[in-house]
Amino acid sequence: MENTVDNSYIVATFYVSLLAFVVLSVLRHRTSNSVSHSRKIGYGNVLKNRSDSTRGELFRRPYGDADADFIIVGAGVAGAALAYTLGKEGCKIRVIERDLTEPDRIVGELLQPGGYLKLIELGLEDCVEEIDAQRIHGYVLFKDGKNTKLSYPLEKFHSDVSGRAFHNGRFIQRMREKAATFPNVELEQGTVTSLLEDEGTIRGVQYKTKSGEALKAFAPLTIVCDGCFSNLRRSLCKPQVDVPSCFVGLALKNCELPYPNHGHVVLADPSPILFYPISSSEIRCLVDIPGQKLPSLSNGDMSRYLKTIVAPQVPCEVHAAFMAAIESGDIRTMPNRIMPASSVPTPGALLLGDAFNMRHPLTGGGMTVALADIVVLRDLLKPLHNFSDADSLTKYLESFYTLRKPMASTINTLAGALYMVFCASPDQARKEMQEACFDYLSLGGACSTGPVGLLSGLNPSPVCLVLHFFAVAVYGFGRLMLPLPTPKRIWLGVRLILGASWIIFPIIKAEGMMQMFFPARVPAYHRAHSKKGSK
């Protein structure tokens, strides 16, 4: 009886084990087929060219596997520079750009010396070589037959440091090519149609390839750099875009500026005219026209406007080339957009470049701000090795919005304030402010190098900016008190001071006064430092 029982247990155990083995084999086979099938129908294109040497652990989502550490939407100045920078750090990068052919734009052609220093810091300085880029050593202001030369304060820097002016498309293509040299950086032509969101977190993007195929891509962090006409920014912030004016662009050929290797700013009526070389044989002319309504190109109104209103105000050295450019018919326009950076942290996503922050392009500061932002972001991401916790990553990256402020807010505020001062106005106090600004800069010394250092990105100091701006106002007030402070002159001086305040304080408010002047009191400011300290 005991032997019968023992044999029964042995037989039962054998059949149970056999049954378990069969069940497990079936389940394993089905799971394997399911994963294989899902990759074939949905994720095969996302996972191609995947490298095992990615930095950080890739994470698994309900949508599927992440195919990169970062997805970058757009490969303009910001996107291409960021792709190279993060690729150099060993991250797996997926770049999706609407059009990978060489761009042809009339803006983004002047890089300030401060931006060139950031280019060096990122290892991209050779991207301004072999594109016929022109060195820029400063500016010349023209007003009512007078002019004053303003040189960049470059004495403390290496001789190679200066501004650079070039064709925007050539510069971008050089950066794209350099980014693509990394095996862990993949550039793909496609149009991102939407961000993929799950419970408030961005998991990736949906896009259409050049052939029209709809695909999805996933990553722990999606960085949107799709430019001033971004169709994705509304998903990540509440943009307040203002269009105070438009640029009319002309390419002047076979002529020389009065001051070689300098940008030329004509304080014209109704608003400034810019000239700077973009190659050894071309001068870019940008005519600012206030408002959004432009003279018609098709019926000849634009040509007449340029010939009758603008042409008499341009320097005589370029007058003939200016008229020839109008006759050629190659007249292009671009709206000048201003959008303060509105930080709305979204788990899994970040805005960068013109999609995130724009200022009036009068001072040519856009690329400098973008490259400085990339340096800040790179330094923040360096200590991290796992990007899978979207909420923690987003909270940590909130310090980005404060750490970028010295450079961004200085250039943004100065661009907005100078544009308003340089525009013609029927108000006598505004006229006095423009006269005071021109004469203040003409004094030379610190009155010249200080403002130019701010404009060039060499001295990103909001405090110095405010001090110089009100020094101009006080200088203008003092001039009005000579030779005798009559009641009329005193009142005009008071209006000048008030006008200066009405110009600059709204810009500072939009930039964020606390972040500009008291960044250490912003809680997010200390997160980056604590992370670095822990490392």
Side-chain angles (χ1 to χ4, degrees), residues 67-388:
D67 69 325
D69 293 318
F70 303 104
I71 292 172
I72 298 175
V73 181
V77 171
L82 182 65
Y84 172 82
T85 301
L86 296 181
K88 187 178 179 181
E89 293 296 317
C91 300
K92 181 72 161 61
I93 309 298
R94 182 79 174 274
V95 185
I96 304 173
E97 161 60 35
R98 183 181 58 83
D99 186 357
L100 286 174
T101 60
E102 184 175 306
D104 184 15
R105 305 180 67 204
I106 63 170
V107 292
E109 297 176 313
L110 178 61
L111 180 66
Q112 297 289 357
Y116 182 73
L117 288 174
K118 297 300 178 183
L119 211 61
I120 293 173
E121 199 170 342
L122 295 171
L124 287 165
E125 66 274 17
D126 57 345
C127 290
V128 297
E129 298 174 1
E130 300 177 5
I131 60 172
D132 200 14
Q134 303 298 298
R135 289 173 179 267
I136 303 297
H137 301 304
Y139 285 87
V140 182
L141 288 184
F142 293 79
K143 182 178 179 355
D144 300 333
K146 303 178 293 182
N147 66 73
T148 184
K149 186 177 177 182
L150 310 171
S151 298
Y152 293 134
L154 299 172
E155 297 80 9
K156 297 180 181 179
F157 298 95
H158 188 272
S159 60
D160 190 51
V161 177
S162 67
R164 295 290 196 282
F166 39 67
H167 281 272
N168 172 270
R170 297 176 187 175
F171 179 55
I172 288 175
Q173 287 299 89
R174 287 278 286 157
M175 289 200 293
R176 288 174 178 175
E177 291 165 5
K178 193 161 183 182
T181 60
F182 290 118
N184 50 315
V185 176
E186 179 186 353
L187 273 74
E188 181 177 358
Q189 185 162 306
T191 301
V192 175
T193 54
S194 63
L195 301 174
L196 298 176
E197 183 180 345
D198 175 38
E199 297 179 352
T201 298
I202 303 301
R203 307 297 187 185
V205 298
Q206 182 164 308
Y207 67 103
K208 286 188 177 180
T209 65
K210 188 177 179 180
S211 62
E213 183 182 6
L215 295 175
K216 296 176 181 179
F218 306 94
L221 186 64
T222 299
I223 305 174
V224 177
C225 313
D226 56 345
C228 61
F229 298 106
S230 172
N231 63 342
L232 299 176
R233 68 161 66 101
R234 290 187 179 277
S235 303
L236 302 174
C237 71
K238 297 178 181 178
Q240 296 179 340
V241 181
D242 182 30
V243 184
S245 67
C246 296
F247 268 157
V248 177
L250 301 166
L252 280 54
K253 299 183 179 179
N254 303 315
C255 67
E256 292 186 4
L257 289 167
Y259 293 84
N261 301 108
H262 282 71
H264 292 54
V265 182
V266 181
L267 303 187
D269 187 359
S271 52
I273 307 167
L274 307 180
F275 297 91
Y276 49 88
I278 55 173
S279 74
S280 54
S281 61
E282 296 167 288
I283 304 295
R284 172 65 71 202
C285 173
L286 295 174
V287 178
D288 184 85
I289 299 181
Q292 301 180 37
K293 189 175 182 180
L294 293 173
S296 173
L297 283 166
S298 58
N299 65 12
D301 284 350
M302 179 64 79
S303 294
R304 282 189 290 273
Y305 176 88
L306 294 174
K307 290 177 180 179
T308 58
I309 304 298
V310 180
Q313 303 183 75
V314 305
C316 59
E317 291 88 344
V318 297
H319 186 273
F322 182 81
M323 296 297 287
I326 298 172
E327 292 295 336
S328 73
D330 187 15
I331 302 172
R332 303 169 63 189
T333 62
M334 178 76 178
N336 294 327
R337 296 170 173 242
I338 297 175
M339 188 184 81
S342 56
S343 58
V344 182
T346 305
L350 190 73
L351 278 169
L352 206 67
D354 283 350
F356 171 52
N357 184 204
M358 293 180 283
R359 76 291 309 147
H360 197 284
L362 172 70
T363 59
M367 290 189 290
T368 299
V369 171
L371 293 171
D373 283 355
I374 291 169
V375 170
V376 172
L377 184 60
R378 178 203 63 185
D379 292 345
L380 280 172
L381 292 173
K382 260 186 178 180
L384 305 182
H385 298 283
N386 188 347
F387 310 114
S388 61

Side-chain angles (χ1 to χ4, degrees), residues 438-504:
F438 182 88
D439 290 347
Y440 180 86
L441 293 170
S442 302
L443 292 174
C447 297
S448 168
T449 58
V452 176
L454 294 164
L455 178 149
S456 62
L458 295 172
N459 179 30
S461 170
V463 173
C464 288
L465 167 60
V466 172
L467 289 176
H468 276 289
F469 189 79
F470 279 103
V472 171
V474 171
Y475 175 76
F477 181 89
R479 292 193 326 161
L480 288 169
M481 297 303 103
L482 300 174
L484 187 66
T486 63
K488 183 178 180 180
R489 285 174 171 270
I490 293 173
W491 173 236
L492 186 58
V494 170
R495 285 173 52 208
L496 189 156
I497 298 290
L498 290 175
S501 302
W502 292 333
I503 286 173
I504 198 167

Side-chain angles (χ1 to χ4, degrees), residues 40-75:
K40 286 180 181 178
I41 65 174
Y43 304 120
N45 290 309
V46 174
L47 296 172
K48 65 180 179 180
N49 297 329
R50 181 169 173 177
S51 170
D52 291 330
S53 60
T54 58
R55 176 185 171 195
E57 294 183 9
L58 302 183
F59 68 119
R60 188 175 297 275
R61 298 296 183 189
Y63 300 105
D65 287 343
D67 69 325
D69 293 318
F70 303 104
I71 292 172
I72 298 175
V73 181

